[in-house]
Structures are given as structure tokens and as C-alpha cells.
Amino acid sequence: MTDTTTVLVLLDHTPDGALRAPVRELVTLARGLAGPSGVHGAWAVDGVEPSAEALADLTALGVAHVHRLVTDADVHLTAVLAEGLASLLDATGAGLLLATSSFENKEVAARLAVATGAGVVTDADALDVVDGQVVAGKTVFAGTWTTRCAITTELAVVTVKANSVAVTEAETQAAPVVGEHAFAASPAATAVRVVERTQRPDSGRPDLGSAHVVVVGGRGTEGDFSQVEELADVLGGAVGATRVATDEGWIGHDAQIGQTGVTISPRLYIGAGVSGAVHHRGGMQASGTIVAVNSDADAPIFEIADFGIVGDLRTVLPQAAAELRRLRAEG
Ligand SMILES: Cc1cc2nc3c(=O)[nH]c(=O)nc-3n(C[C@H](O)[C@H](O)[C@H](O)COP(=O)(O)OP(=O)(O)OC[C@H]3O[C@@H](n4cnc5c(N)ncnc54)[C@H](O)[C@@H]3O)c2cc1C
């Protein structure tokens, strides 16, 4: 028997055992929905255990139980992780699983749904329980519609977009009970073997999918991303790109934002030399504040921009970076 007041949160973590930033949002959200049994966290043990910093975070955020998911198989395989979570949901009776909206987690959510019959909403930006039913908010059709989706199944699985929730700490804080949940992955889940894994070199910038600020370069950069990067670094933001820029090889495909790239919802999006084509909008229209820098006053991006600057990005971006530095220096 599942219960929506028992909420399980997938605790995405870094290779050094710290919580990934959007997980804090999930726990904040879960705390508002959870009943007396509190918020449960699932830590997939991939050779990395929760660090002291992660345990302090989980205490401050009010996670009651941390379940270490332990298996002989590779938990980075989505099929394996889905089986582990299905077995943990069963053991805890949790009626709601929350995960961050990464590509991997959306696949895990889909596999979980197939295995358990759960209803799934991906890329949610709000969550509520109404008359015992989980209701998720989500923007669709390239950010043009805001919807509310009620999950009518007993078990609900929701992936939540980063920057959807303001993180708060729990009023009462106690160290979580850390336990082990061992499971055996099926032969089908382990039919794939990872032969090599290469960690992406650290750019020193925040992750594109969860950054608060994203500065995006399009065709207007003509391949020179230095001014886009400079502004991103002054703002502590991530660098993104349109498909034109990634197809041209000016920047890696993992920086592409849009329908066939990453979906982002930062607090601040700055598009430079970006026309605002519908395929690009689909991945950024839910951003908090949209700033556009474009030399063409008729560029479609100005239709959705909160602030627009008609000008050459090669002049505007360095000016903006210099002004921000000056203001910082003044304190
Ligand atoms: C099936 C499909 C999927 C797609 N998926 C994606 C996707 O996921 N993401 C994506 O981004 N696109 C995607 N596209 C491509 C998309 O349709 C557009 O072609 C693309 O987004 C345009 O990129 P852009 O804005 O960089 O280039 P353009 O549309 O060429 O716009 C360049 C802009 O830069 C401005 N400009 C030029 N010089 C300067 C300057 N010096 N200073 C300031 N402004 C300047 C111009 O005025 C212009 O508005 C997809 C297309 C298809 C068919």
C-alpha cells in the first residue's frame, strides 16, 4: 500500500559525495508534502558514500531517512537504478518519488513507470497534493502553456526542473537515520555493460541544467564565444548555445539549449546573437528573466524578452561585463 505522505527523493550526488544543488530544492518540496514519516532519501551507492557535508545538508534540510541503495550491478545504468528504486518504493510504501530532471533521471522515471504502473510527470516546476492526488505544474508547447497534471495512479513519479523552488531549511533538524537497502538487479537490467566512463573536464562553471544564470551565444557570435564566456564568468553563470553554434562546432553539443538539446529554467537567461527560433524557445522560455542582445530590432526573441538591447553583442557584452565588475568593486 503506497502513501503520498511518504516521499522518496533520489539524492543525486557529485563524485566526491556532496549533494547536487537541485536536490536541495526537491527536499524542500518534499518536506511540504510529507507526513509524519517524513522525507526519505535514496542514495545510489556507486562507490561513493554520503560525505560529512552531504549528511550536514540532509540534516539541515530535514531528511528523516537515507537509504543507501546497494547492489553488485552498476547503478549508473538507468535500468538498474530503476529496479533499485522500485524495490525501495515497495519497502518504504512511499507513494511519491521525486528526482531532478536530468536526462538520466527522466529515463529512470520512465522505466519505473513501466515496472510499477506509476504515473509520471517530467520537467515539473510545481507540486501539490490535492485530495490525496499528486498534482504537478508543467509548462508545455515551447513554454507557451502552463498546465497542471493530476496523477491518478496510486504511485507517482515526478522529475522537477532546477530553479523551480526556493530552498529552505527544516524548522526541526535531526541527523537522518542512515540504512542500507540491498537489491539484486535482474539479468535484463544488466545486459548492458559500461566499458569506459570519462568524466567531463571541469569548466569551473555551474552545470547548464541547474545554473541560476545562463549566457547563450548564437550565430551572431560568428564562432567567437569569448565575450559570452566572459559575461557568464562575471555573473557566475553557465554558457549555452543555439543549435547553429553547436552544429558549426563552435562549442560542444552538450551546450545546446532547445527542443533537441537541454531544457533550462534559470533565474536569468541572456541570449546574445540568438534569433529566438521556436526550437530554441522550447528549451528556455520558462526562464525567470529573459534578456536579449540582438542587432536586429525585429528578431523574434524580443517578443519573449523582459529586457532587450538592440546592438552588436561584441560591444554590448563587454560593456555589461565591465559595468558589473565596476559595481562589484564598489561593493
Ligand atoms: C527539428 C529541429 C530541431 C531543432 N532544435 C534546436 C534546438 O534544440 N536548439 C536550437 O537552438 N535550435 C534548434 N533548431 C534550429 C532552430 O530552428 C534555429 O535554426 C536556431 O535556433 C537558430 O540559431 P541562432 O539563433 O543562433 O541563429 P539565427 O536564427 O541565424 O539568428 C542569429 C541572430 O543573431 C543576430 N546577430 C547577428 N550578428 C549579431 C551581432 N553581431 N550582435 C547581435 N546579434 C547579432 C541576428 O540578427 C539573428 O537574429 C532545430 C531545428 C529543427 C528543424
Side-chain angles (χ1 to χ4, degrees), residues 76-209:
H76 287 290
L77 292 175
T78 53
V80 171
L81 184 52
E83 287 187 354
L85 289 171
S87 129
L88 184 55
L89 283 165
D90 198 35
T92 56
L96 172 60
L97 173 87
L98 298 181
T100 59
S101 264
S102 64
F103 282 130
E104 293 83 357
N105 287 351
K106 285 191 259 190
E107 191 177 316
V108 168
R111 288 179 180 277
L112 253 180
V114 172
T116 61
V120 178
V121 174
T122 55
D123 291 333
D125 52 23
L127 207 58
D128 219 345
V129 174
V130 181
D131 298 333
Q133 240 175 25
V134 175
V135 180
K138 163 173 176 129
T139 55
V140 296
F141 297 135
T144 50
W145 286 77
T146 304
T147 63
R148 279 166 60 78
C149 317
I151 298 180
T152 55
T153 49
E154 210 182 315
L155 178 62
V157 175
V158 180
T159 73
V160 182
K161 283 201 297 190
N163 298 315
S164 298
V165 180
V167 174
T168 59
E169 293 193 350
E171 271 172 32
T172 41
Q173 302 181 358
V177 177
V178 181
E180 179 175 309
H181 182 85
F183 71 101
S186 71
T190 49
V192 172
R193 195 164 55 87
V194 178
V195 287
E196 196 181 329
R197 182 173 284 118
T198 311
Q199 206 172 323
R200 202 184 307 158
D202 187 4
S203 68
R205 299 193 179 100
D207 173 59
L208 183 59

Side-chain angles (χ1 to χ4, degrees), residues 216-222 241-247 250 256-262 271-283 293-302 309-316:
V216 177
R219 194 198 297 275
T221 61
E222 291 176 5
T242 64
R243 180 157 150 184
V244 166
T246 59
D247 279 355
W250 297 338
Q256 183 180 313
I257 291 160
Q259 190 177 306
T260 45
V262 183
V274 174
S275 62
V278 66
H279 301 106
H280 183 73
R281 289 186 190 199
V293 182
N294 197 302
S295 49
D296 176 5
D298 294 325
I301 196 162
F302 288 128
I309 300 154
V310 180
D312 187 334
L313 69 91
R314 275 177 284 269
T315 316
V316 178

Side-chain angles (χ1 to χ4, degrees), residues 215-217 221 224-232 234 270-273 291-293 309 311-325:
V215 186
V216 177
T221 61
D224 180 2
F225 264 65
S226 58
Q227 283 131 353
V228 171
E229 288 170 351
E230 183 193 9
L231 185 58
V234 173
I270 302 176
V291 177
V293 182
I309 300 154
D312 187 334
L313 69 91
R314 275 177 284 269
T315 316
V316 178
L317 297 195
Q319 276 178 358
E323 185 62 8
L324 283 164
R325 279 200 204 91

